[in-house]
Amino acid sequence: MKLFNKKADNSAKITTIVDRELSEYINTKEIEYHNKYQKHAQKLSVLKFNELPKTARITDYITGLVMDFQKLVDYTDQRLNGVLHQAKGKSDTADMEAEGEELDRKVDETQNELNILNAKFDADAKKHKSTIRRWQRVLWILYFVAGFELLANMEIYNMLGGGILASISIAIISGIVVFWWAHLTAKLIHRFGDSNWKKQLGIFLLMSIPIFVIFYLFSSMRVTYLLALSPEMQDVYSSNPIVPTLINFFAYLIATYLVFEYRPNVAIKNAYSKYCDDLKSIEEAQQKRDTYLAEKNSLEPKLRQKLLDYHNLQLLGQQIEQDISTRMLACFHEFKSELHLLSNGKCADLFSTDAEDVPALKFNYQNNNENTTQS
């Protein structure tokens, strides 16, 4: 069985169902039946028609013809499975309704979720986006400063002597101290500075003392170590460790300023983080709802196409049954003509009308697929 689609226009499609194998089978059987009942007419022509009972009718002699064409009708039904497709149509309709109800439930469930998310969504938190983005860019600058501090200290401490492992360790500690202590300093200034520059400066100076001392001790130890290893270097190298200390302290100063000036407070970060999380949840819920709606909207067109295919099969069954009925009448009339010709019209009393002479076939696809008889 093959489907041929022909577009009538850009918005409509006409689908014609054709079963070529079934048509060829019916054609073959029709030729076989025509030959068969031509020979049957020859056999009947030798009867003594004047001696037949007055109640004799041609139907008594052509039961085989009706049965042969009835077999074609039954074979058509077996091939098309009309009852099965009708049941499938009802099943598909019920499945679509059930699936539609389930999708409606999911849409309502997702809509309720959206309502809850929208109720607690703080759209005003979007204004913090520029602050957060600026802070993220500043963080990269701080990472760069920390990295540069690490490399510079490695070079300085390695130049001042000592093992490479010790130089790397002190450089890493220095970089971490600069980065972390700058954050802590800025945090304390914000908390206890009260927007008073004198208090803020005092807190900064107080926080600067430990880190200045740490950097000074590191540098002093390295200089002492270098001079202990090479006393002759005292004449060519300054023993004052203040230079590397100031280099590290300058990096700490830059980092502290950047953190103090650009780092948003916890409330802003939490508000914007919640805004991003809620926005993502809303978009996901909206996308889920749109997906469910799209699935539901596609159910009816899919079902309509399936039912159209089933309907076309029903129409094909009707057409083939009508064609078989027409072929049976044609075969009967050829048989009748042959019998009249061979018997010189003596068989006329056996015939009356087509409706009385040819028993009705039992169809499966006429009158909405109900079993009927052809009159």
Side-chain angles (χ1 to χ4, degrees), residues 209-318:
I209 294 173
I211 196 168
F212 187 88
V213 171
I214 291 173
F215 289 145
Y216 184 85
L217 289 175
F218 281 160
S219 300
S220 179
M221 285 189 298
R222 301 302 290 183
V223 170
T224 302
Y225 181 78
L226 173 64
L227 295 178
L229 288 177
S230 305
E232 68 278 5
M233 292 294 293
Q234 189 170 1
D235 296 332
V236 296
Y237 186 80
S238 174
S239 61
N240 192 348
I242 195 65
V243 175
T245 301
L246 290 177
I247 292 174
N248 284 295
F249 187 79
F250 182 68
Y252 161 73
L253 182 64
I254 293 175
T256 301
Y257 171 77
L258 291 175
V259 174
F260 174 80
E261 187 67 26
Y262 295 104
R263 186 179 69 175
N265 58 46
V266 176
I268 291 178
K269 289 195 291 187
N270 290 341
Y272 185 73
S273 177
K274 181 177 180 300
Y275 165 81
C276 292
D277 292 340
D278 290 345
L279 182 62
K280 182 179 179 181
S281 298
I282 289 174
E283 290 175 350
E284 289 177 350
Q286 184 65 48
Q287 184 177 7
K288 189 191 302 183
R289 179 179 178 275
D290 292 343
T291 300
Y292 291 146
L293 286 174
E295 288 181 11
K296 187 185 179 207
N297 292 335
S298 67
L299 290 179
E300 187 173 346
K302 289 179 180 177
L303 176 65
R304 190 184 304 117
Q305 184 58 51
K306 288 182 180 180
L307 294 181
L308 179 60
D309 291 340
Y310 300 153
H311 177 68
N312 286 337
L313 281 171
Q314 300 293 324
L315 291 179
L316 178 62
Q318 291 181 12

Side-chain angles (χ1 to χ4, degrees), residues 162-178:
I164 185 65
L165 185 60
S167 298
I168 293 175
S169 300
I170 294 176
I172 291 175
I173 293 173
S174 300
I176 293 175
V177 167
V178 167

Side-chain angles (χ1 to χ4, degrees), residues 121-146:
F121 180 64
D122 182 12
D124 293 337
K126 184 179 180 180
K127 65 185 179 183
H128 302 312
K129 180 177 180 179
S130 59
T131 302
I132 298 297
R133 291 286 186 269
R134 185 168 58 248
W135 168 240
Q136 290 173 344
R137 289 192 292 269
V138 170
L139 270 177
W140 283 106
I141 297 176
L142 291 174
Y143 295 147
F144 173 79
V145 170

